[in-house]
C-alpha cells in the first residue's frame, strides 16, 4: 500500500500539479513567476547560502537527468571503476555543498526578525523539503555505496515506466526507507513547486551565476555595489 502511494499515486499527482498549475500561473500571473529579492533585508547569509546551494544543486539536477536520457552512454562511463569512484566523490562533494547552502538559507530566515515578516508558509515548506531532500541524498551518497549504479539500473527504469504510464513499482519497492523518503520528498517538491517562489527554477536561471554586480544608488550620495 505504501509503495503504491509513493511510487504510483504521488508521481502522477505531482506531475499534474507541476504542469497544470505552472502553465496556469505563467499565463495568468506572470509577474509572480520569479522570486523577489530579499537582499536588502539580509545580505551576508544570503551570499554564503545562495552560492553554495546553486553551485551544488544545479550540477546534481543534471546528474539525475542525464542517465534518464542517455542511459547507455552513462552505463559505459560507470563501467570503469576509477571513473565511478571519481564521480561518486564529486557527487558527495556537491551534495555537501548544497546541504551547507540550504542550511544557511534556512538559518537566515530563522535568525532575521525583519526577514520573518516577508516569509510565507510556502517559503518555510519548500526550505524544509529541500533540506530533507538534500540531507537524504547526502546520506545515501555517503552510506549506500555505488548509488550511481543502482540509480541507473533501478531508478531510471522506474522513472521511464512512470513516463510511459506503466509504473513498475518493483524496481524500488525493496530499497531502504531512506531511498523511499528521498523519492517521496522529490515528488512532493514537484507538487508544491508551482505554488512557491521556487517556480523560477523552471526558467533555468543559470546565467545569474556569472552576472555582473548590480549598482545601487542611495539617497544621500552613497553608492553601494552588491552582487546577487
Amino acid at each position: 500500500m505504501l509503495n503504491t502511494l509513493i511510487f504510483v499515486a504521488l508521481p502522477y499527482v505531482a506531475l499534474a500539479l507541476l504542469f497544470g498549475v505552472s502553465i496556469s500561473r505563467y499565463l495568468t500571473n506572470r509577474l509572480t513567476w520569479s522570486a523577489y529579492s530579499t537582499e536588502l533585508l539580509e545580505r551576508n547569509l544570503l551570499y554564503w547560502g545562495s552560492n553554495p546551494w546553486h553551485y551544488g544543486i544545479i550540477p546534481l539536477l543534471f546528474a539525475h537527468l542525464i542517465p534518464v536520457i542517455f542511459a547507455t552512454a552513462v552505463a559505459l562511463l560507470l563501467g570503469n571503476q576509477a571513473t565511478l569512484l571519481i564521480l561518486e566523490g564529486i557527487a558527495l562533494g556537491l551534495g555537501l555543498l548544497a546541504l551547507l547552502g540550504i542550511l544557511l538559507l534556512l538559518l537566515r530566515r530563522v535568525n532575521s526578525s525583519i526577514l520573518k515578516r516577508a516569509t510565507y508558509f510556502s517559503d518555510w515548506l519548500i526550505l524544509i523539503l529541500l533540506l530533507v531532500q538534500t540531507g537524504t541524498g547526502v546520506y545515501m551518497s555517503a552510506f549506500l555505496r555505488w548509488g550511481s549504479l543502482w540509480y541507473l539500473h533501478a531508478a531510471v527504469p522506474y522513472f521511464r515506466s512512470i513516463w510511459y504510464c506503466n509504473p513498475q513499482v518493483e524496481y524500488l519497492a525493496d530499497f531502504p526507507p531512506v531511498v523511499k523518503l528521498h523519492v517521496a520528498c522529490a515528488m512532493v517538491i514537484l507538487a508544491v513547486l508551482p505554488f512557491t517562489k521556487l517556480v523560477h527554477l523552471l526558467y533555468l536561471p543559470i546565467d545569474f551565476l556569472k552576472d555582473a554586480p548590480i549598482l545601487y544608488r542611495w539617497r544621500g550620495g552613497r553608492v553601494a555595489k552588491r552582487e546577487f
Side-chain angles (χ1 to χ4, degrees):
M1 181 63 181
L2 182 60
N3 285 334
T4 302
L5 176 63
I6 294 175
F7 299 123
V8 179
L10 192 55
Y12 289 112
V13 171
L15 290 173
L17 290 173
L18 176 65
F19 288 109
V21 178
S22 296
I23 293 172
S24 174
R25 181 175 174 182
Y26 184 78
L27 294 176
T28 61
N29 197 4
R30 196 174 302 179
L31 291 178
T32 66
W33 186 260
S34 62
Y36 58 82
S37 174
T38 58
E39 185 185 14
L40 295 179
L41 302 179
E42 197 286 327
R43 296 176 178 176
N44 292 329
L45 280 180
L46 176 62
Y47 177 84
W48 292 109
S50 180
N51 283 296
W53 166 251
H54 286 93
Y55 282 117
I57 202 64
I58 291 175
L60 287 175
L61 288 175
F62 281 106
H64 282 71
L65 181 62
I66 289 173
V68 178
I69 303 174
F70 305 106
T72 302
V74 173
L76 292 174
L77 183 66
L78 297 180
N80 183 289
Q81 187 177 21
T83 303
L84 176 62
L85 288 171
I86 292 172
L87 292 177
E88 291 270 320
I90 292 174
L92 179 57
L94 291 172
L96 289 171
L97 190 65
L99 182 60
L100 172 64
I102 198 65
L103 282 171
L104 290 175
L105 291 175
L106 185 58
L107 182 64
R108 172 176 178 261
R109 297 275 176 175
V110 171
N111 283 345
S112 175
S113 58
I114 189 172
L115 192 55
K116 283 183 181 179
R117 302 192 194 111
T119 303
Y120 301 98
F121 172 78
S122 59
D123 298 323
W124 294 116
L125 177 62
I126 199 66
L127 281 170
I128 292 171
L129 286 172
L130 290 174
L131 177 62
V132 173
Q133 184 70 8
T134 311
T136 53
V138 169
Y139 178 89
M140 289 188 297
S141 182
F143 298 105
L144 300 181
R145 301 294 300 274
W146 319 125
S148 301
L149 288 177
W150 59 254
Y151 177 81
L152 175 65
H153 296 294
V156 168
Y158 162 73
F159 291 141
R160 287 182 172 179
S161 73
I162 290 293
W163 184 254
Y164 291 119
C165 298
N166 182 28
Q168 301 295 314
V169 179
E170 60 272 14
Y171 279 113
L172 298 177
D174 295 328
F175 272 81
V178 65
V179 177
K180 297 180 181 180
L181 176 60
H182 190 72
V183 174
C185 190
M187 299 303 171
V188 174
I189 289 173
L190 290 179
V192 304
L193 185 149
F195 300 96
T196 70
K197 289 177 285 188
L198 193 64
V199 72
H200 75 277
L201 170 69
L202 301 179
Y203 195 70
L204 294 179
I206 298 175
D207 286 343
F208 89 96
L209 293 172
K210 56 182 178 59
D211 283 348
I214 295 177
L215 182 66
Y216 289 97
R217 295 191 180 276
W218 302 89
R219 287 185 177 178
R222 291 189 304 112
V223 176
K225 291 178 70 176
R226 299 294 298 177
E227 190 173 3
F228 281 99

